[in-house]
Amino acid sequence: MASAAVLWFGEDMSAVPLRNNKAAASAVRSVTVLGATGSIGDSTMDLLRASPERYQVEALTANSNVEALAKLAIEFDARFAAIADPTRLDELRDALAGTGTECGAGESAIIEAASRPADWLMAAVSGAAGLKPALAAVDRGATIALANKECLVCAGDFFMQRAAKAGACILPADSEHNALFQALGSGNREELVRVIITASGGPFRTWKSADIERATLAQALKHPNWSMGQKITIDSASMMNKGLEVIEASYLFTLAPDEIDVLVHPQSIIHGMVEFSDRSVVAQLGAPDMRTPIAHCLGWPDRIVGPAAPLDLAKIGQLTFEAPDFDRFPALRLAYDALRTGRGRPRFSTRPMRSRWPPSSRARSGSGPSRGWSRRR
């Protein structure tokens, strides 16, 4: 789906349309979902299921769950289905026999699914494996709901520059980045002071360091607020996921490290905030349900009816906040360190690394953001 945008970042082309012109969406939107059987895929398919008259499914993909993929392809009358595991092609063919749905297997089939002519694509393949398919969608100028952090952590500048060159539209689908996406539309780039990404703190928020070291896998997988896939749940327990989100935000919105803060917010109601030069802070709030940010992306530039529970602040009673603990959760410091030293290039250590830079010297000193920073440096 083509879109026009008022540019947020001065003369540089941006693939993230923060100041959109409300271009009319097509009456029926064709959709591809990469990673349809994962947690993000489940939420996306739930939204599609609620409005079958608005969406036509072009392609669906899964990693290895042939049964679930075939079931979805049949339910939504998908034109193409692809399984990443190349040894499962015969199973998928048998499951889809007589349906008219084409199918394929292996990396090339996943890339083919992304290359097919859908207006809107959900990029929810986990890990670096999601980069090539997302780039295939970028190259045809698609509107992409990006739920894969690794595309930007692995290849941020390359990915965003290629998207801008191809005229692709990148819509942040992570709850935190979608919150920033919505809030950033309230001002202009030169008025920005900082963005604030919230974190629940995960299952070990109140644990002592010695107890965290003895934690079991089952304990790490018990996230207090969100229902997610295993990888992101484990990353959340160590706050590595929040570190990846800091790097992702830098590339999505062309932000310097000192323009990105993290705030622990155990209730997971405020998902992101933006502070402007007049000291106004614009926040996006909602129940912790991934269908809300996905619905924002799926309907963009319009808003659609979402199935998440209404936000009842009176029932919640109070919202609390804490500074992140970089000693108990050194992964967050590592992410800031990587962003400062290599624009996302990871640096590994066998023990917690103490950064030479504070994670937000600006926040403590009260000075403004670094205006001379350039993403080309």
Side-chain angles (χ1 to χ4, degrees):
M1 181 186 72
S3 64
V6 177
L7 300 183
W8 170 258
F9 303 122
E11 295 181 358
D12 290 347
M13 282 297 293
S14 171
V16 181
L18 286 165
R19 307 285 281 178
N20 72 75
N21 67 349
K22 295 293 289 182
S26 58
V28 177
R29 180 171 290 181
S30 57
V31 171
T32 286
V33 182
L34 305 182
T37 62
S39 61
I40 297 295
D42 283 343
S43 294
T44 305
M45 303 312 294
D46 193 36
L47 289 164
L48 296 177
R49 191 175 287 115
S51 301
E53 73 285 354
R54 293 177 61 107
Y55 306 105
Q56 166 65 51
V57 174
E58 175 67 30
L60 300 172
T61 79
N63 182 40
S64 59
N65 194 336
V66 169
E67 182 179 358
L69 176 62
K71 184 177 179 180
L72 288 172
I74 293 169
E75 177 185 358
F76 289 91
D77 194 23
R79 295 174 178 173
F80 183 75
I83 195 80
D85 185 346
T87 67
R88 311 294 294 274
L89 178 58
D90 288 342
E91 292 177 61
L92 184 60
R93 281 176 175 161
D94 290 343
L96 293 175
T99 65
T101 298
E102 300 176 63
C103 60
E107 182 183 70
S108 61
I110 305 298
I111 294 172
E112 179 184 347
S115 303
R116 293 173 73 98
D119 300 321
W120 186 96
L121 178 139
M122 167 55 75
V125 173
S126 180
L131 179 58
K132 286 184 181 180
L135 285 172
V138 159
D139 288 343
R140 62 179 179 81
T143 294
I144 301 165
L146 187 63
N148 174 295
K149 295 177 176 63
E150 289 79 8
C151 284
L152 299 181
V153 174
C154 295
D157 275 328
F158 174 76
F159 185 90
M160 294 304 293
Q161 289 169 8
R162 191 153 156 178
K165 183 177 180 180
C169 176
I170 306 298
L171 303 175
D174 270 349
S175 59
E176 296 83 359
H177 300 96
N178 185 264
L180 298 180
F181 175 52
Q182 296 191 50
L184 282 166
S186 297
N188 298 311
R189 180 63 177 94
E190 62 272 15
E191 299 162 347
L192 175 73
V193 174
R194 60 173 173 157
V195 303
I196 303 167
I197 300 174
T198 58
S200 71
F204 305 140
R205 179 177 63 86
T206 62
W207 288 33
K208 295 180 180 179
S209 296
D211 294 330
I212 295 175
E213 291 179 3
R214 294 191 293 269
T216 66
L217 175 62
Q219 289 171 323
L221 285 170
K222 289 183 178 179
H223 197 282
N225 299 333
W226 294 94
S227 176
M228 306 177 291
Q230 289 195 356
K231 178 189 181 297
I232 189 171
T233 304
I234 293 298
D235 284 350
S236 294
S238 66
M239 291 197 72
M240 172 57 80
N241 185 61
K242 203 56 52 179
L244 298 180
E245 288 176 2
V246 168
I247 294 172
E248 187 180 5
S250 176
Y251 288 116
L252 278 171
F253 307 118
T254 317
L255 298 170
D258 283 347
E259 293 177 313
I260 309 169
D261 282 346
V262 172
L263 183 66
V264 176
H265 169 47
Q267 294 81 20
S268 296
I269 297 300
I270 298 176
H271 304 293
M273 297 177 272
V274 177
E275 182 181 358
F276 293 101
S277 54
D278 60 1
R279 299 305 174 184
S280 293
V281 177
V282 179
Q284 188 269 338
L285 289 73
D289 188 326
M290 278 305 301
R291 291 175 299 180
T292 298
I294 295 171
H296 181 260
C297 294
L298 186 59
W300 191 91
D302 301 318
R303 289 186 184 268
I304 62 176
V305 176
L311 183 61
D312 189 342
L313 289 175
K315 183 177 180 179
I316 294 167
Q318 63 178 348
L319 304 178
T320 60
F321 307 93
E322 307 164 11
D325 189 328
F326 290 88
D327 291 324
R328 286 188 301 127
F329 298 98
L332 184 56
R333 184 180 296 278
L334 280 168
Y336 270 105
D337 204 51
L339 185 58
R340 290 182 178 278
T341 59
R343 291 289 292 130
R345 183 178 65 243
R347 302 196 328 184
F348 296 97
S349 174
T350 57
R351 53 190 172 85
M353 181 182 295
R354 296 188 179 275
S355 172
R356 292 179 295 158
W357 298 275
S360 181
S361 57
R362 184 214 67 259
R364 285 196 287 271
S365 67
S367 60
S370 173
R371 299 297 183 190
W373 180 84
S374 167
R375 65 184 309 174
R376 292 192 180 90
R377 72 177 182 182

